[in-house]
Amino acid sequence: MYLTKEELFESALSLNGDDKRYIITVENDKIITRVKWMDATLFSPRSISREMKVFEHIVKVNDNGTYTEITKTLSSGTSLSSGGFNLSKGGLFGGNTYSKTIAFGRNNQTGELGMVNVSFNSKEYKRPVKELLKSAGYKKKISPVAISAIIVSAFAVLFALTATILVNI
């Protein structure tokens, strides 16, 4: 037997805390974990750039004790260099993400100036909700829509990267 959706949603919201980098919300039948894991202004001898990255883990809870999930890593940036001005926006859907950035700059979340050392592992932010779902008796179900969204998003990212590379050649 599994917890009712209402009990599950209440338990999910209780995972929030002042000591957590993420925020968990419940919207309709979805449990959403969001974390802005990078917001920095980076400096180099020839350029200055601003990078922001947000991760979302979205879990749709079904009435039959199953759930589907999708992850999104969204990024945006601006940079100014001797080569000109550049705006970028991108996203990656599905899978696990690991990233590490080390550069000189300003951490816009803490206000610290110096070496910006930011690392991110999506598994760390998916874990609390996934453990809650498991302990509540819910089982994962992969939806055809999620698979289609992952494929379409992957092609969109590849197209955007190719266009960016061609513009900078």
Side-chain angles (χ1 to χ4, degrees):
M1 189 62 190
Y2 51 87
L3 291 179
T4 65
K5 288 196 316 189
E6 292 74 23
E7 293 169 323
L8 179 68
F9 295 154
E10 187 176 314
S11 295
L13 292 173
S14 73
L15 295 171
N16 287 313
D18 293 337
D19 60 333
K20 307 289 195 253
R21 286 180 59 191
Y22 58 78
I23 296 173
I24 295 175
T25 58
V26 173
E27 299 173 18
N28 300 320
D29 287 340
K30 297 178 183 122
I31 301 171
I32 303 170
T33 305
R34 287 185 182 97
V35 60
K36 182 190 279 186
W37 63 272
M38 182 172 185
D39 183 358
T41 304
L42 305 175
F43 309 104
S44 72
R46 294 184 152 173
S47 69
I48 182 171
S49 64
R50 169 105 190 248
E51 293 186 31
M52 293 193 317
K53 297 183 182 183
V54 175
F55 172 77
E56 290 184 349
H57 179 228
I58 303 166
V59 175
K60 173 148 185 348
V61 179
N62 303 309
D63 291 326
N64 62 358
T66 63
Y67 68 93
T68 55
E69 65 181 333
I70 190 163
T71 59
K72 299 190 296 187
T73 302
L74 308 170
S75 63
S76 64
T78 56
S79 65
L80 179 63
S81 69
S82 58
F85 182 73
N86 183 34
L87 292 172
S88 64
K89 194 168 199 89
L92 179 63
F93 291 78
N96 292 311
T97 303
Y98 178 79
S99 182
K100 182 151 185 80
T101 300
I102 301 173
F104 181 75
R106 179 178 188 268
N107 183 327
N108 297 322
Q109 291 175 298
T110 65
E112 295 173 354
L113 183 64
M115 291 306 292
V116 175
N117 185 349
V118 181
S119 61
F120 177 79
N121 185 344
S122 61
K123 287 181 181 182
E124 175 184 342
Y125 296 100
K126 294 191 314 188
R127 186 176 300 119
V129 170
K130 290 184 90 166
E131 287 177 353
L132 172 63
L133 289 162
K134 184 177 180 180
S135 69
Y138 282 77
K139 305 286 183 209
K140 183 176 179 178
K141 176 182 171 184
I142 300 175
S143 79
V145 173
I147 293 169
S148 298
I150 291 167
I151 292 168
V152 169
S153 298
F155 279 112
V157 169
L158 287 173
F159 178 77
L161 289 172
T162 304
T164 301
I165 290 168
L166 292 175
V167 167
N168 291 323
I169 292 180

